[in-house]
Amino acid sequence: MAAASACGGGYGSGSGYRTGPTVGGKAFDGAVSGATIALFELAPAGTLVLPALATATTAADGSYSLAIPPTATAPLELTSTGGTYKDDVTGAVTPAPDLAVIVTSFSGTSIAAQLTPLTTLEAQVATAMAATSGGTPSVATFAAGIDSALGAYLGVPAPTTTPLVDVTTAGCASAASQASQDASLAVAALAQLASTYGVTVGDLVLAVAQDLGSDGVLDGMAKGAPLTVPLSGGTVQLCTIEGDCPGAGGSGFAQQLLGSMNGFVASAANLCKAAPSSSMMSAMGAGSRSPHFFFTVGASFPSIFGGGMVLELDGQYDVTVDSSGPVTFPLFVPSGATYDVTVKTQPPGQACTPVKTTGTVTANVDVPITCNLTGNAYQVSFQVSGLLGSGFLVSDGFGELGPTSSVAAFVSPLAAGSPYTISVVSQPTNPDQVCTVTANGSGVVSSTSITSPAQVTCSSSPSVYAVDGTGTLFAFDASGKELTHATFPGVVASLDGGGLTADARNVYLTLGASTGGSQGGVLAFDRSTLAPVTLASGAFGGVATPRGIAWDPHDSRFFVGNGGSTVTVYDANGAYLSAFPNGPTADAIYGPSGVAFDATTDTLWVANYTGGSGVAPSYGVAQFTEGAAVAQTINPATQFIAPMMPTSELPYSIAACVAATSPRDVVVVGFRPSGGSGGSPQGGIYATSGSLVAPFTPQLAAAGQPNAISCSSTGVIYVASDDGLHLYSMSGAGVALPSGGFAALSAPVYGVLAVY
C-alpha cells in the first residue's frame, strides 16, 4: 500500500506520544487519484465532529494511509473529496464523486477502510437512520447492520475492508484474491448500471441511499414517495434502475446489478479478466425484490382499557401507550437481530402481559399485549354543539363514537386513573364543517368522567356564495345559514353573467362598469372570512365589461367573459396571458355572458348571449377543450337550443356539472328572452353533445331571469335569478329552499357559486 502524506501527525515513535493505529485502503470508483481523505469522529446521531482528526492525499492507484490519534474513539468516518478517476466502463478520466466509509470499531495497529460507492451508500444510509432515531441506536449500530445486510445481498461479505483492484489493468486477476475481484466487480457493476441509464454513479448512490435510509426497504421509494435520479434533460425513476417498479417485470436491484456485472465481465473494458465467484453470482441471482434490510418492532392490544403503559425494547428503548392502536418503537432493527419487549410500567387499573416477549427479527415484529382490569372503570363522554353535517366521529383513544344525544358516552369503560385525550377523527360533511375540542379534551378517568364531558364545537366552512341586489356578497353553509357577508362598491345591476368563482384562497367577483362610467373589474375576497383581498396592480387588466368568470384548477388560470366577443385568460395572480380572438365565425364566441370550466374533462363552456333573434343559434353554447394552445375551437360549435323558441331565448348562464347517473358530465344552461322577440326565461340540463337531458320543472317565472348557475358535488343546482334563488335536482325537478335558509338574500340575485 503506497503511503501518502498525513497532516495532524506527531504520533510516531520519536514524538514522545503513544503511537495510534494506522488506517488505510483505497478511494475507488476506478482508482481515485489526488483526492483529499479526511478522518472524523462521529456523534451518535451521525454528524461529523469537527475539525478533522487527520487528512491525507490519495496516490495514483487510489491508496491512502493516515494515523488515527490515540485519543480518537469509534465510530469514525473517512471522506474522500476531489481528485479524478478513470471510469471502469467508458475509460474516461472525470472528476471523482464524493466517497465515504464508516469505521464502527478499531483495534490493533492497522485498519483497512475502503471508500467506494458501496461503502458511501452504507454510510449515507446509516447516517440517515441514526439522525431519524436521534442517535439511539447509534450510527455505529446502523453502519454495522447495513454493511452486513448489503454485503450478504450482493455476495460481497466485507465491502468496507476487502482490498480492491483496478479492473481496467491488464491481467490483474491473476494476482488478486477472489474476494478482491468480487468487491471490485460490484463497484464496476454499479458503474455499468449507471451508464446504462445515463446517470452518474454519485447520483445513483444518493438516490438508493434515500430509498434505504427512509424506511430500510429497497423499493425505489422513500416512505411511499417515488424517487427519481437526475439525468441530462430530465430524470429517470429510481425503481426503473432498481428493477422494482410496481406492476413491472424484473426481480430487483441485485438482479439488475448481476446483469450489469455480467455485461462488464464480458466486455473489452474488463482488461483485468476478473470473474465473479459462484457465491457472489448466487447471492445476486437470489436477491429478493424490494428487500427489507431493517425492520420495526411494535405491539398491538387485543384488549386494553386505558392508557399509561410504558413498553421497553431490549432494556433501553421506551414507548408510551395512550391509545388502543398499535405502537411502534421509534427505531429500525437490522434483519437477524434479536429483540426483547417487556412492560416497563403497568397502566393504572390494569395488568398487561406480552404474549411473546423475545425473538429474532426477520420481518416487522408485532408483539400482542393482553390486559385485564384490576380495579374500577368508567365511561368517558363528550358534548357537541353546532353540528350540521354527517359522518362526524370522535375518539377517546380507545373507541370511536358519533353523537347520539346531547351528551354521548363512549361504549367501552376505561380504567380509573387512565389518561385519555378526546380528538375528532372524522369531520362532518354535507355541509362541510370543522369541529374542534374546546374544553375538557384530556384528563384522567374517574367517576366524574361522564358528568364532566369534553366540549366539541363545530363551525361550517362556506358552501355557497351568492351576490344580491343590495351590493352584498354572502357566504352560506349548505343549509343556507349565513356565515358572513361583505359589501362591495359598484352597481350590482351590471353583474352580467353572475361572475363568481373561487380558487383555494379567494372568491372572485366580476363587477361591471358603473352608471358613472367607471371601468369594471374583478374583486377578490378571502374564501373563509370574505375580508377584501388587494390584488396586485394590473391584475385582471383590460377587463372592461366582465361577465362570467371560471377557475381552471389544473393549470391555475382564470377565464373571463369580457365585453362583446372575447374570453380573456389570466394566470393565478390575475396577470393577462391571452384572449380568444374576436369574431363568432372563427371562435364560436359572440356575447359571452357565462363561462364554466369542467375540471373532470378539462373543458371550457361559453354561453353566448347573442343579443337578438337574427343571430344564428349555432353560437348559443361553445365548447373548448384544452390542448397545447389556450383552447381548441370545436367547429362547428356545439349547439344548445332553448326548449321553446330557439331564436328568442338565448343562453345567458352556464354551469358544468357531474351527475350521479348517465350522462355523468352535463351542462346546465339558463336562457334569457332576447328582448323584443318574445320568449320567456328557460333552463335545462344538457348532455355534452348538446342534447336535452331534462328541462327545469317548473320553468322559471317571467320575472326569473337566470343570471347565474352553479352545481354542488351532491347534485344540487343553484340558479340565481331576478326573482331570487332557485334550487333544482339533477333530474331538473325543482327543490324547495331549506326552511329559513338563504333568508339574507334579497331579490334580484345576480351570482351564485356552490363549492361543496
Side-chain angles (χ1 to χ4, degrees):
M1 182 183 300
S5 61
C7 303
Y11 300 102
S13 59
S15 67
Y17 292 93
R18 178 170 58 89
T19 302
T22 299
V23 60
K26 287 185 178 181
F28 205 86
D29 186 12
V32 178
S33 174
T36 298
I37 305 295
L39 175 69
F40 300 90
E41 285 186 320
L42 276 179
T47 55
L48 297 176
V49 179
L50 302 177
L53 299 175
T55 60
T57 303
T58 59
D61 64 351
S63 62
Y64 75 94
S65 178
L66 50 77
I68 301 175
T71 56
T73 58
L76 304 173
E77 180 169 338
L78 292 117
T79 63
S80 172
T81 56
T84 60
Y85 80 107
K86 184 173 70 173
D87 187 274
D88 288 341
V89 176
T90 66
V93 176
T94 59
D98 292 344
L99 301 172
V101 64
I102 292 177
V103 177
T104 58
S105 63
F106 59 88
S107 60
T109 59
S110 181
I111 303 155
Q114 316 300 335
L115 294 88
T116 73
L118 282 179
T119 66
T120 303
L121 168 63
E122 294 177 356
Q124 290 174 342
V125 171
T127 300
M129 288 195 152
T132 300
S133 71
T136 306
S138 72
V139 65
T141 299
F142 287 116
I146 190 63
D147 186 60
S148 173
L150 189 62
Y153 182 65
L154 300 179
V156 184
T160 62
T161 59
T162 302
L164 298 156
V165 295
D166 186 348
V167 291
T168 64
T169 300
C172 71
S174 61
S177 69
Q178 187 60 59
S180 290
Q181 292 184 61
D182 286 350
S184 303
L185 286 174
V187 173
L190 269 174
Q192 183 74 57
L193 184 61
S195 178
T196 299
Y197 287 93
V199 302
T200 69
V201 172
D203 286 337
L204 176 58
V205 166
L206 179 60
V208 175
Q210 291 174 321
D211 180 357
L212 267 177
S214 65
D215 51 18
V217 186
L218 192 63
D219 58 0
M221 296 184 287
K223 296 181 179 178
L227 291 167
T228 58
V229 186
L231 48 75
S232 178
T235 60
V236 59
Q237 281 193 312
L238 177 60
C239 68
T240 299
I241 301 176
E242 291 180 350
D244 50 18
C245 290
S251 299
F253 190 46
Q255 286 78 22
Q256 292 283 86
L257 282 175
L258 176 60
S260 295
M261 183 177 68
N262 287 336
F264 176 81
V265 168
S267 73
N270 182 21
L271 295 174
C272 178
K273 303 303 180 183
S277 65
S278 59
S279 60
M280 182 182 185
M281 295 183 68
S282 296
M284 285 187 172
S288 62
R289 180 186 175 102
S290 302
H292 286 63
F293 293 133
F294 293 89
F295 296 97
T296 59
V297 176
S300 59
F301 312 95
S303 59
I304 191 170
F305 305 95
M309 179 196 310
V310 178
L311 296 178
E312 190 169 63
L313 174 64
D314 298 336
Q316 54 182 326
Y317 310 119
D318 293 350
V319 64
T320 300
V321 179
D322 279 328
S323 71
S324 61
V327 297
T328 301
F329 288 95
L331 70 151
F332 290 98
V333 179
S335 178
T338 59
Y339 68 88
D340 184 2
V341 175
T342 58
V343 177
K344 181 179 181 179
T345 303
Q346 291 287 350
Q350 301 180 76
C352 300
T353 306
V355 173
K356 179 184 179 183
T357 62
T358 62
T360 300
V361 176
T362 57
N364 290 334
V365 175
D366 176 26
V367 177
I369 310 288
T370 60
C371 298
N372 297 295
L373 279 170
T374 59
N376 294 325
Y378 303 97
Q379 289 174 294
V380 177
S381 61
F382 70 95
Q383 186 173 21
V384 61
S385 60
L387 178 64
L388 297 173
S390 58
F392 171 68
L393 282 177
V394 173
S395 171
D396 64 353
F398 302 92
E400 295 181 356
L401 187 66
T404 56
S405 63
S406 58
V407 176
F410 290 95
V411 175
S412 299
L414 303 180
S418 169
Y420 70 88
T421 299
I422 304 293
S423 61
V424 177
V425 295
S426 177
Q427 296 287 2
T429 60
N430 197 23
D432 292 343
Q433 290 187 283
V434 176
C435 301
T436 56
V437 181
T438 55
N440 301 335
S442 60
V444 174
V445 175
S446 68
S447 59
T448 62
S449 294
I450 201 166
T451 58
S452 300
Q455 299 298 310
V456 183
T457 302
C458 299
S459 60
S460 298
S461 299
S463 297
V464 180
Y465 300 94
V467 178
D468 73 1
T470 66
T472 305
L473 172 64
F474 293 92
F476 302 96
D477 65 24
S479 70
K481 176 185 176 182
E482 181 188 343
L483 302 178
T484 187
H485 67 269
T487 58
F488 53 88
V491 177
V492 294
S494 61
L495 275 171
D496 289 335
L500 277 176
T501 195
D503 60 15
R505 303 168 299 170
N506 303 322
V507 177
Y508 299 86
L509 164 69
T510 56
L511 187 66
S514 71
T515 55
S518 63
Q519 189 177 26
V522 178
L523 303 179
F525 302 85
D526 181 89
R527 185 162 170 163
S528 297
T529 65
L530 294 191
V533 174
T534 301
L535 296 174
S537 176
F540 297 98
V543 183
T545 54
R547 293 184 175 181
I549 183 171
W551 168 248
D552 172 0
H554 293 167
D555 294 310
S556 299
R557 59 188 178 182
F558 296 93
F559 298 100
V560 180
N562 184 23
S565 55
T566 61
V567 169
T568 45
V569 187
Y570 301 85
D571 69 13
N573 297 314
Y576 175 83
L577 295 176
S578 59
F580 291 70
N582 295 341
T585 302
D587 295 284
I589 294 177
Y590 192 67
S593 57
V595 294
F597 187 79
D598 182 355
T600 62
T601 59
D602 281 342
T603 301
L604 180 73
W605 296 92
V606 181
N608 294 289
Y609 186 60
T610 54
S613 60
V615 178
S618 61
Y619 302 117
V621 173
Q623 175 187 9
F624 298 87
T625 56
E626 290 191 296
V630 172
Q632 297 173 346
T633 303
I634 303 299
N635 189 20
T638 304
Q639 297 185 28
F640 288 70
I641 308 301
M644 296 177 59
M645 303 176 66
T647 61
S648 299
E649 294 149 356
L650 304 173
Y652 191 78
S653 52
I654 192 165
C657 316
V658 178
T661 57
S662 182
R664 288 184 57 80
D665 291 308
V666 296
V667 181
V668 184
V669 185
F671 299 85
R672 271 190 171 188
S674 62
S677 301
S680 62
Q682 298 286 319
I685 302 168
Y686 293 80
T688 55
S689 63
S691 60
L692 180 66
V693 174
F696 287 167
T697 306
Q699 283 290 353
L700 298 169
Q705 308 290 345
N707 298 315
I709 297 175
S710 186
C711 306
S712 77
S713 61
T714 60
V716 179
I717 300 171
Y718 292 82
V719 180
S721 74
D722 283 358
D723 65 346
L725 185 66
H726 300 271
L727 270 59
Y728 292 91
S729 70
M730 282 294 176
S731 66
V735 178
L737 292 176
S739 177
F742 303 102
L745 284 172
S746 299
V749 179
Y750 288 107
V752 66
L753 175 68
V755 292
Y756 73 100

